[in-house]
Amino acid sequence: MGIRERMAFSTTALCILLITVQGISGEIKVFMLQVEEKEVGQPAQIECQASISEPTTEVHVQWFFLNGNKRERIYFMDSKHSVADNGTEYTGRISMDKNYTLTIHSVTLRDQGTFICQVGAGAVGKNENRTELRVYDAPELPEIKGEETGIAVTEESSIPKIAHCISRNGYPPPNITWYKDQTPLQDQEGVTSVQATLTKESSGLFSVESHLFHRVTKKDKDSKFYCEINYQMPGINHMMESSKIGIILHYPMEQLKFLRVFPDGPIKEGDTVKFECRGDGNPPPEYSFYKNNQGIDVNPAFDQGLLILENVTQMSTGTYECRGLDLETVTELNKEVNITVNYLTNITLTPDGPLELAVGEDKTLSCNAHASALTAFQWEKSDMEVFTGGNSLHLTNVNYSSTGTYTCEVTVPTVPGLVKSKSILITVSGKPEVTAPQNKLWVYIGEEVNLTCVAFGHPEAEITWNVAGNLTVRHRGDHTVTSQLTVKVVPELLRLGITCNASNMMGSGQQSFQLYQVLPTTHSTAKTDDIVRKKQKNPESSGVIIVAVIVCILLLAVLGATLYFLYKKGKISCGRSGKQDITRPEDQKDIIMELKTDKVQEEAGLLQGANGDKKPPRDQGEQYIDLRN
Ligand SMILES: *[C@@H]1O[C@H](CO)[C@@H](O)[C@H](O)[C@H]1NC(C)=O
Ligand SMILES: *[C@@H]1O[C@H](CO)[C@@H](O)[C@H](O)[C@H]1NC(C)=O
Ligand SMILES: *[C@@H]1O[C@H](CO)[C@@H](O)[C@H](O)[C@H]1NC(C)=O
Ligand SMILES: *[C@@H]1O[C@H](CO)[C@@H](O)[C@H](O)[C@H]1NC(C)=O
Ligand SMILES: *[C@@H]1O[C@H](CO)[C@@H](O)[C@H](O)[C@H]1NC(C)=O
Ligand SMILES: *[C@@H]1O[C@H](CO)[C@@H](O)[C@H](O)[C@H]1NC(C)=O
Ligand SMILES: *[C@@H]1O[C@H](CO)[C@@H](O)[C@H](O)[C@H]1NC(C)=O
Ligand SMILES: *[C@@H]1O[C@H](CO)[C@@H](O)[C@H](O)[C@H]1NC(C)=O
Ligand SMILES: *[C@@H]1O[C@H](CO)[C@@H](O)[C@H](O)[C@H]1NC(C)=O
Ligand SMILES: *[C@@H]1O[C@H](CO)[C@@H](O)[C@H](O)[C@H]1NC(C)=O
Ligand SMILES: *[C@@H]1O[C@H](CO)[C@@H](O)[C@H](O)[C@H]1NC(C)=O
C-alpha cells in the first residue's frame, strides 16, 4: 500500500470519525484495508482504525487470525495489558502500537490468511473489520532440459517430447509458457501439448514442472526453445526466462551434394585434390567413394564425407562418385564429379648435355615436352638474356660471350604453376691469341728483365716460355691469362730471342720478343750510372755512334800514316810529335762519351712522354761534326 493510499485512507477514516462523533451516537466503526501484500521475510503492518461515537476510556482491542474456519485470538489490549496471546503461532512474532497497528516482524507463508481487528468500548459496544494478508515468494530461475536422444521428424503416431522446464520454490505457483524462437506455443491438437505438474514442497513453496510436446519438421533443426515463467510479487507481475536450447533432429536424407572444393582452378600433377560429399539428412549418411566404379579407401582420420587425393598424377583423371547411405531410411543417393589432371612431361633437349662449340660456329638447340594442353617455350641464358622464337634456339657465329647455361622453360598457360625447365651448358672454345704489351726491349748483358705475355682464348691457355727463367702467372679470368717471365740477359738470349707460346686444346699462338743490346763501351772511364740510364736507347742512335767511332778511327789511321810519311822525310822530330799524337784520340773519345750521355738524357725525357719516339739520326751526325771542328 502506497503512502498516498494510506493517507487517503486515514483522511477518510478521520472524516467518518468526525461525522460519527457529531451525528450518530452509541456506535463503533472499524476501518481496515481489504488486502495487504507482503514478501516472505519482510515485516507486515496491518492497520486498524476505530471510530467511537462517544468518548470513552474503556477501550479494548483484540486481534484474531482466521485460518480456514478456525478463529484464533493472537493479541489483546485492555486498560491494563497490551500483549500477544500465549501458545499461538504469533507469540513472540507480533506487536501492536498505540494506533492499534499490528506488526508481524517477519512474514512467513503461514501468515497468508485473514487478520481481524475487534474494538470494544464498554457500553458503546464493539465492532470489527478484517484484512487479508497475501504472502509472496519469488521462484528460482527456471531450468530447461532438452531431449538428449534425437527427435525424429518422421514419427507420425505421437507428438514427440521436446524438452521440460522446472521452476522451483515459488509462492504462489508461477505459470510456465513455452516459446519456439520468439513465438509462444499454445496447446494445439496434434501439434503442441504442454503437461505441467505442480508440487508443493515441505516448505509450503511450489515447484512447477512443464513438459513440452511439439511436432517438429526439418525446418526446426535450427530452432531455439525456451520456457518463460510468470509470477506475482506484491503489486506487480514478474517474468523470468530459461536459457535457450537447440534440439537434435533426425530427418531423412533427401539430397546429396558432391563437389570438388580444392583446388578452384585446373588441376595439375602433384596437386592435392579435395572433394566434399554432403547428404542433407541427420544423422548424416554413410559415405563411400568410387573411381570408375572401383572403391577408394579413405583415410579414416579425415572428416566424414571428405575425399582427399594427395599428389595426383595424370592417372588420377577420371570420374569420381560419392554414395551416401541413410541408415535410418535405408535409402542411397549418389553423385559424380569428373576431374582432369593436367600434366607436362620432362623436357627433352636436343642436343642433350654440355656442348662445346668453336668460335664462329653455328648451332640450333631444340626443346620438347608433352603436355595435356598447349605449351609455351622460352629460352633464357644464365646472364638473364632472354631469347624469343619458340622451342628452337639458333646460335650463329658464336664467340666467347656466348658461353653460358641456356635454360629452356616450358609452361602450360592455361594451367598456372605447371612448369618444367631444363638447362644445357654451352662452352665456346678457340685457340689462344697472344699479345705482349712490349716486345722490343733494350737490355744489358747480366740485367734482369721482365717479359709479359697475355693470352686470350678458351679453354684457358697454358703459357710456356722457350727459355728458363722465373715465371709468374699474374692474372687469370675472362678467357685471359697473363704470364710474366723474369729472365737474366745472357748473350745467347740476344742471339736466339725469346718466344712465349700460349696453347690450349684448340691450338696455340706465339709471341716473340726481340732484345737489343746496349753496346758495351771499350773506355774504362765510362761511368756505371751512365750505362744504367742508356738501357732503352734506340738501336738507330747507337748505330750513329758506332759509325762515328769507326770514322774517327779511320781519320786517326790516315793522320798516323801522314805523320809517319813526314817522319820518314825527317820533317818532324820523333819524341814530341809522338806524345801529342797519342793524347789526341783520347780527347776525341772523351768528347764522344759526353755526346752519348747528352743523348741518353735527352732520350730519357722523350721516353717518359711517348714510348718509342725516336730522334732522327741526322741530328747526332751534325752534333758530332760540330765537335770535331
Ligand atoms: C471495513 O473497512 C472499510 C474501509 O476500510 C469500510 O469500507 C467497511 O465498511 C468496513 N466494514 C465494516 C463491516 O465495518
Ligand atoms: C503467559 O505465560 C506467562 C508464563 O508462562 C505468564 O506470565 C503470562 O501471564 C501469560 N500471559 C497470558 C496473557 O496468559
Ligand atoms: C498514530 O497515528 C497518528 C496519526 O495517524 C500518527 O501521527 C502517529 O505517528 C501514529 N503512531 C504510531 C506509533 O504509528
Ligand atoms: C497464470 O495463468 C492463469 C491462467 O492462464 C492466469 O489466470 C494467471 O493470471 C496467470 N498467472 C500469472 C502470474 O501470470
Ligand atoms: C608425388 O608423386 C611422385 C610420382 O608418383 C613421387 O615421385 C613423389 O615423391 C610424390 N611426392 C609426394 C610429396 O608424395
Ligand atoms: C563425366 O565423364 C563421363 C565420361 O566422360 C560423362 O559421361 C559424364 O557425364 C561426366 N560427368 C559429369 C558430372 O560431368
Ligand atoms: C623427370 O625429372 C625429374 C627431375 O629432374 C626426375 O626425378 C624424374 O625421374 C623424371 N621423370 C621421368 C619420367 O623421366
Ligand atoms: C659476341 O657475339 C654477340 C652476338 O653474336 C655480339 O653481340 C658480341 O659483340 C660478340 N662479342 C665479341 C667479343 O665479339
Ligand atoms: C719485374 O717484376 C717484378 C715483380 O713482378 C718487379 O718486382 C721488378 O721490379 C720488375 N723488374 C723490372 C726490371 O721491371
Ligand atoms: C729466379 O729466382 C731465384 C730466387 O728468387 C733467383 O735465385 C734466380 O737467380 C732467378 N733466376 C732468374 C733466371 O732470374
Ligand atoms: C706451343 O705449345 C704447344 C703445346 O705444348 C705445342 O704443341 C706447340 O708445338 C708449341 N708451339 C711452338 C711454336 O713452340
Side-chain angles (χ1 to χ4, degrees), residues 447-450 472 474 484-486 535:
E447 180 190 12
E448 273 194 1
V449 292
N450 286 342
T472 49
R474 279 206 305 219
Q484 182 185 272
L485 176 78
T486 307
K535 260 184 187 174

Short mmCIF file of all heavy atoms in Angstrom, two decimals, residues 447-450 472 474 484-486 535, ligand 9:
data_model
loop_
_atom_site.label_atom_id
_atom_site.label_comp_id
_atom_site.label_asym_id
_atom_site.label_seq_id
_atom_site.Cartn_x
_atom_site.Cartn_y
_atom_site.Cartn_z
N GLU A 447 121.63 -8.13 -66.99
CA GLU A 447 120.46 -7.44 -66.41
C GLU A 447 119.30 -8.43 -66.30
O GLU A 447 119.21 -9.39 -67.05
CB GLU A 447 120.10 -6.30 -67.36
CG GLU A 447 118.93 -5.49 -66.92
CD GLU A 447 118.47 -4.54 -68.02
OE1 GLU A 447 118.94 -4.70 -69.18
OE2 GLU A 447 117.66 -3.67 -67.72
N GLU A 448 118.41 -8.15 -65.35
CA GLU A 448 117.19 -8.97 -65.25
C GLU A 448 116.06 -8.20 -65.90
O GLU A 448 115.84 -7.02 -65.59
CB GLU A 448 116.83 -9.23 -63.79
CG GLU A 448 117.52 -10.46 -63.24
CD GLU A 448 116.93 -10.92 -61.92
OE1 GLU A 448 115.96 -10.30 -61.43
OE2 GLU A 448 117.44 -11.92 -61.38
N VAL A 449 115.36 -8.83 -66.81
CA VAL A 449 114.25 -8.13 -67.47
C VAL A 449 112.93 -8.90 -67.25
O VAL A 449 112.92 -10.10 -67.05
CB VAL A 449 114.48 -7.95 -68.99
CG1 VAL A 449 115.60 -6.98 -69.25
CG2 VAL A 449 114.75 -9.29 -69.66
N ASN A 450 111.87 -8.13 -67.30
CA ASN A 450 110.52 -8.71 -67.18
C ASN A 450 109.88 -8.73 -68.55
O ASN A 450 109.84 -7.72 -69.23
CB ASN A 450 109.64 -7.83 -66.27
CG ASN A 450 110.02 -7.98 -64.81
OD1 ASN A 450 110.67 -8.95 -64.43
ND2 ASN A 450 109.61 -7.01 -64.01
N THR A 472 106.01 -15.97 -63.44
CA THR A 472 104.85 -15.71 -62.59
C THR A 472 103.64 -15.54 -63.49
O THR A 472 103.69 -14.82 -64.47
CB THR A 472 105.01 -14.43 -61.74
OG1 THR A 472 105.44 -13.39 -62.61
CG2 THR A 472 106.01 -14.60 -60.63
N ARG A 474 100.34 -13.91 -63.58
CA ARG A 474 99.84 -12.81 -62.76
C ARG A 474 98.32 -12.74 -62.69
O ARG A 474 97.75 -12.38 -61.69
CB ARG A 474 100.37 -11.49 -63.32
CG ARG A 474 101.76 -11.19 -62.88
CD ARG A 474 102.00 -9.72 -62.88
NE ARG A 474 101.71 -9.14 -64.18
CZ ARG A 474 102.42 -8.18 -64.74
NH1 ARG A 474 103.48 -7.70 -64.11
NH2 ARG A 474 102.10 -7.69 -65.91
N GLN A 484 104.13 -13.54 -66.71
CA GLN A 484 105.32 -12.67 -66.72
C GLN A 484 106.55 -13.51 -66.45
O GLN A 484 106.55 -14.36 -65.56
CB GLN A 484 105.19 -11.58 -65.66
CG GLN A 484 106.39 -10.64 -65.69
CD GLN A 484 106.32 -9.64 -64.56
OE1 GLN A 484 105.72 -8.59 -64.70
NE2 GLN A 484 106.90 -9.99 -63.44
N LEU A 485 107.56 -13.28 -67.23
CA LEU A 485 108.82 -14.01 -67.09
C LEU A 485 109.90 -13.02 -66.70
O LEU A 485 110.02 -11.94 -67.28
CB LEU A 485 109.18 -14.66 -68.44
CG LEU A 485 110.52 -15.39 -68.48
CD1 LEU A 485 110.40 -16.76 -67.81
CD2 LEU A 485 110.99 -15.55 -69.92
N THR A 486 110.63 -13.38 -65.68
CA THR A 486 111.79 -12.57 -65.30
C THR A 486 113.03 -13.37 -65.70
O THR A 486 113.17 -14.51 -65.29
CB THR A 486 111.78 -12.29 -63.80
OG1 THR A 486 110.51 -11.73 -63.47
CG2 THR A 486 112.89 -11.33 -63.40
N LYS A 535 119.71 2.26 -70.84
CA LYS A 535 119.04 0.97 -71.01
C LYS A 535 118.17 0.84 -72.25
O LYS A 535 118.22 -0.12 -72.96
CB LYS A 535 118.16 0.69 -69.80
CG LYS A 535 118.84 -0.24 -68.83
CD LYS A 535 117.90 -0.57 -67.70
CE LYS A 535 118.63 -1.35 -66.65
NZ LYS A 535 117.78 -1.55 -65.48
C1 LIG B 9 109.87 -7.29 -62.67
O1 LIG B 9 108.65 -7.63 -61.99
C2 LIG B 9 108.82 -7.76 -60.58
C3 LIG B 9 107.51 -8.17 -59.98
O2 LIG B 9 106.59 -8.52 -60.88
C4 LIG B 9 109.28 -6.41 -60.03
O3 LIG B 9 109.46 -6.53 -58.62
C5 LIG B 9 110.53 -5.97 -60.70
O4 LIG B 9 110.91 -4.70 -60.27
C6 LIG B 9 110.38 -5.96 -62.21
N1 LIG B 9 111.62 -5.68 -62.83
C7 LIG B 9 111.80 -4.78 -63.82
C8 LIG B 9 113.16 -4.62 -64.35
O5 LIG B 9 110.83 -4.10 -64.23
#
